[in-house]
Structure formats: structure tokens, C-alpha cells
Amino acid sequence: MPGLVVVGAQWGDEGKGKVVHWLASQAHLVVRFQGGNNAGHTVVCGGKQFALHTVPSGILADKALSLLGNGVIVNPRALREEVEGLERQGVRVRGRLGISPLCHVILPTHLLLDGRREDAGQGIGTTRKGIGPCYEDKVARCGVRVCDYLDPPLFRELAKSHLRLHAPELARLMPLARARRELFRDYEALRAFLAPFIADASVLVEAALERGRRVLFEGAQGAMLDVDFGTYPFVTSSNSCAGGACVGAGVGPTRIGAVLGVAKAYTTRVGLGPFPTEIEGRVGRFIREKGGEYGTTTGRPRRIGWLDLVQLKAAARINGFSRLALMKLDTLSGIHPLRVCTAYRLRGRRVEGWPCSRRDAFDVEPVYESFQGFSGDLSGARRFSDLPEGARDYVRFVERSLGLEAAVVSVGKDREQTVLRRPGGAAGFWR
Ligand code: IMP
């Protein structure tokens, strides 16, 4: 059975957590492949709300084993807090979570560097979790991997070079002796916490696929935050598109069978950067409040925009979506009219594709198609025919424009508040 990749189709926060949690009920393995605790997946399950950051959403499914592939970066202290928090909520994590020894470690100094750059006015509105500085060290070949962190003499040596390398920047923040203390604060306890989780994710994925098991690759962030294809430089520092699953989990492209793109029925983004369909004022505030559009990781209010089909077409291309999950359709109920961006205008000319130039990405003006909208409470809908006609028209328009089936339409936070348009339940998505 080939693997299924689930990725965000916009700027993150599309509702991947809910989709992954539902699919994970049929999966044997759930594998994260990039990002770190900058991610925030909110999952409502059994009347309880869980906020996941590094741990895959699959941990909330009873049977699946969860893995962090080599492309994920791990903050040991934050992971310990997350695991302990989940355990307090009654979720068994130990024995059900494996971490690749090749994952890079987010060190306390990476957080300091991230924060300093944001404060120094060179920022892009990061989550301040040390993501950029950690991936920088990885690519510059001076990072610390989990397997290095678990080897005390080696870690001491690497920590020394790390401090030497970053001394000029760190010294602007604090005396170096203090930065050094930060690096080693609680090290023994954190090492002891991490050690039992080590598992060769790539080998386990291959073994599961060989045995015909269902493997789910869970993306974090979204297509427009991808370091190559997103709104550079206002992006995260990893490949959040579907191709990232291969490199970040150690699996070949021939092993991936399907890619599910997750998009909201409107658009949001947090942090700075271009956002052509952004709306402010009353409608923006209405969507933000009704949709609870505040960051799971940082609590920041999210920027709100109309659905952008130019952006989604680009996402469909770079990810090779097999089908779409359209989330939070219920949030749009009561807005008249609804608008959908179908093209851009740039210096008086019509543009159909996402622009590469950072200046053009700021300058494009959306061309909209208007819809009458719909009203009423959608949260009880379970079949497509339960939705009001205006909502069905909206979904069909998106499908036609993208040439993709919206196989999942979400109408509420709960797992049951879902319209499924594909036979075979969750298992059908692997085909
Ligand atoms: P970083 O990943 O913390 O370096 O932040 C880089 C950009 O990605 C910022 O605009 C963040 O707001 C954004 N970002 C990172 N993770 C997420 C996420 O999980 N959801 C939405 N935006 C994110």
C-alpha cells in the first residue's frame, strides 16, 4: 500500500490536525517530515481539545505509531513539555512515538538568535521557536543531530564550536558564559528523556510499506510557507510541500500514492509577507472571531483573506494534489456576498500565475468573482446534499477551477462535523 501525504495548501493553519487525526484511525504509521514546534495542530477529540506542536496528530489515534522523520527539528525541552501535557490529558505517548536520530536539535541559543533577529527589525514575524537558526546550522553543516545530542562528549565538543560560531551575535544579548549555561541547562535530564524515543524512521516506514500497511505523512505549515515555493523570504525554513515527505522521512517518491491538500474555504496567514486577498474591516473581523483565527503556537491574530484560486492552483501544481479537503466552510455562513479570487492584475495586466518576484507578490491586485453566499447552521451537515445550495455552488466552483474533488468538506471542529464525498471512509484516501 503506497503512502498518503497530507499537506497544507495555503499559509498553514488549514485544519490539517483534524484531517490527520481522522485519517490516522486507519493508519499504522503517522510520520511528520519537516518543521518543528512552530507548528500548531488543534484537534478536538472526545470532547477534549489538544494542541500539538511537534508530536504528530496521529498520537491521538489509538492504534497508530507516530514518528518524527529526519526532516523534523526537535526542541528537547519543548517536546518534554508537550509529551507530559498530553500524558496529563490521558494520552499515552511513550512507546508510541519514535524519533529519528537524524533529526536536528533546536538548541536554546537558536531561540535566542531567532528572537534577536525579530527584535532587531530584520524579522519576518517568525514564531520565535528557533526554526530558522536551527535549519541554518543544519545546512551550514554545523548543526547538532539527536544522535549527537545523546553522546555527551560529542555534544560538549559541538556545543563549544556552536558557541564560538555564534559568539558575535550572542554576545549582543548576554555574556557568553550565560549563553553556555543556557545550552547545558537540564541537559542530562533532557538527554535521558529523549533516549528511549530513538527509532530509525526511514527503516520503519519502509518495513511498514513492504508489509502493505497504511502510512500517513503529516505535513506542517503550508505550501506558501515552503522555503522554495512560498512567499520568500516570508516563509519557514523547510520544504513544507509534499515532496518534502520523501527527503524528510527517508522514503522514495515511488512509495507515495496520493497527496491530500488541505485548504480553508477562505485564507489566513500569520506573520508578515504578501497576502493578495487580505481583507480588513468588518468582514475580516467576523471571520476571525467566528473561525477562532488566533495562532495555536503564538496566540497571534491571523490575517484573513478571501479564497485565492491563483494561489491554490500553484499549490496544487507543486504538491500534485490527488484531492482536496475544504475546511471551515461553516465559518462563511452569513456573509453576503462571498468573493473568490480567480486571477490577479499586475501593472494593468491580467496574471493567471503566482508571481516569483517578491515585489510583484506585494503588488498584484486580486480579480474577484462574487457569490451570493449562504446562511444557516452548517455544522449538522453530513452529506453534500445537507448543505445549502449556495454552499454547494461555492464548493463546486472551487472544484471546477482547480480540477480537483473536494473529497472532505469540514463544517465544524469535531471529527463528526464532516461531509465525506468519497466511498470507503478514511481508508479510501490511500487509493
Ligand atoms: P518560523 O517557521 O517560526 O521561522 O516562521 C516563519 C513564518 O512561517 C512566519 O510567518 C510564521 O508565522 C509562519 N509559520 C510557521 N509555522 C506556522 C504554522 O504552523 N502555521 C502558520 N504559520 C506558520
Side-chain angles (χ1 to χ4, degrees):
M1 176 82 60
L4 167 65
V5 181
V6 177
V7 283
Q10 296 157 321
W11 276 274
D13 308 316
E14 298 91 348
K16 294 179 292 293
K18 171 174 167 171
V19 174
V20 169
H21 175 233
W22 171 68
L23 290 168
S25 63
Q26 297 299 317
H28 296 91
L29 271 187
V30 180
V31 192
R32 272 274 307 267
F33 55 86
Q34 46 73 229
N37 60 326
N38 49 347
H41 294 163
T42 310
V43 182
V44 178
C45 153
K48 284 192 207 164
Q49 180 154 317
F50 299 89
L52 298 156
H53 296 286
T54 304
V55 177
S57 310
I59 204 75
L60 302 173
D62 294 338
K63 287 190 229 116
L65 179 69
S66 289
L67 294 175
L68 301 181
N70 53 282
V72 175
I73 53 177
V74 177
N75 175 332
R77 188 184 310 280
L79 181 67
R80 186 176 63 180
E81 272 169 29
E82 187 175 335
V83 168
E84 288 172 356
L86 285 167
E87 287 174 341
R88 276 196 299 278
Q89 286 185 285
V91 181
R92 194 166 65 80
V93 181
R94 285 164 228 243
R96 297 181 54 231
L97 172 68
I99 303 176
S100 165
L102 300 180
C103 290
H104 276 247
V105 177
I106 305 175
L107 299 168
T109 36
H110 289 137
L111 276 84
L112 293 169
L113 293 170
D114 197 1
R116 193 193 106 73
R117 292 171 196 175
E118 287 295 304
D119 292 335
Q122 316 151 17
I124 58 154
T126 72
T127 59
R128 296 176 178 249
K129 301 287 178 192
I131 305 300
C134 177
Y135 276 119
E136 279 170 35
D137 278 354
K138 171 177 173 172
V139 178
R141 296 165 294 191
C142 51
V144 175
R145 298 169 306 168
V146 165
C147 55
D148 307 325
Y149 189 80
L150 296 182
D151 176 340
L154 179 58
F155 177 62
R156 270 194 291 278
E157 218 174 281
L158 293 174
K160 216 195 273 176
S161 339
H162 172 85
L163 277 176
R164 216 178 303 126
L165 180 70
H166 295 292
E169 215 177 338
L170 287 170
R172 295 206 189 113
L173 280 172
M174 60 180 65
L176 283 179
R178 201 169 125 209
R180 186 178 187 286
R181 276 202 303 280
E182 279 299 310
L183 263 185
F184 285 97
R185 189 155 61 88
D186 225 9
Y187 168 65
E188 279 308 325
L190 292 171
R191 189 172 70 83
F193 162 78
L194 268 188
F197 288 102
I198 298 311
D200 192 328
S202 169
V203 169
L204 290 172
V205 167
E206 178 63 8
L209 290 169
E210 277 294 312
R211 298 216 311 267
R213 300 273 165 95
R214 288 189 202 99
V215 180
L216 180 60
F217 298 92
E218 173 182 357
Q221 289 84 45
M224 302 314 281
L225 291 173
D226 183 277
V227 67
D228 282 271
F229 292 103
T231 44
Y232 193 89
F234 303 95
V235 293
T236 193
S237 301
S238 61
N239 283 114
S240 47
C241 63
C246 292
V247 190
V251 63
T254 50
R255 300 299 215 177
I256 307 294
V259 179
L260 178 65
V262 185
K264 269 193 274 223
Y266 47 96
T267 315
T268 64
R269 90 169 286 179
V270 277
L272 306 176
F275 187 6
T277 63
E278 183 163 22
I279 39 177
E280 281 158 20
R282 200 175 49 81
V283 176
R285 283 197 301 276
F286 175 85
I287 294 177
R288 182 176 302 114
E289 294 314 314
K290 188 165 176 204
E293 296 296 355
Y294 291 88
T296 314
T297 304
T298 58
R300 290 180 290 179
R302 294 178 185 143
R303 297 159 67 190
I304 310 289
W306 298 116
L307 193 71
D308 185 342
L309 292 175
V310 179
Q311 177 273 304
L312 278 179
K313 276 180 195 164
R317 172 171 46 82
I318 63 173
N319 286 289
F321 293 150
S322 323
R323 45 191 82 94
L324 200 68
L326 197 63
M327 312 302 285
K328 291 188 142 181
L329 184 65
D330 53 306
T331 304
L332 295 183
S333 176
I335 302 175
H336 307 276
L338 288 174
R339 301 171 100 189
V340 175
C341 169
T342 52
Y344 297 145
R345 265 192 182 283
L346 180 64
R347 293 184 275 282
R349 290 221 328 268
R350 191 180 164 92
V351 181
E352 304 277 348
W354 180 266
C356 296
S357 145
R358 62 181 86 185
R359 200 166 328 149
D360 290 353
F362 275 110
D363 287 348
V364 289
E365 288 167 30
V367 175
Y368 287 116
E369 186 128 338
S370 285
F371 291 80
Q372 207 183 359
F374 46 89
S375 302
D377 179 9
L378 270 58
S379 64
R382 298 294 175 268
R383 285 168 308 181
F384 195 59
S385 56
D386 296 337
L387 294 171
E389 195 184 338
R392 278 180 277 148
D393 286 348
Y394 187 83
V395 175
R396 285 200 201 99
F397 181 77
V398 173
E399 290 185 313
R400 268 200 315 278
S401 307
L402 299 176
L404 279 172
E405 175 196 26
V408 176
V409 178
S410 175
V411 290
K413 271 190 192 164
D414 269 326
R415 191 164 138 170
E416 293 68 36
Q417 293 171 321
T418 307
V419 173
L420 193 59
R421 298 171 67 216
R422 224 189 133 63
F429 282 74
W430 269 265
R431 291 191 287 272

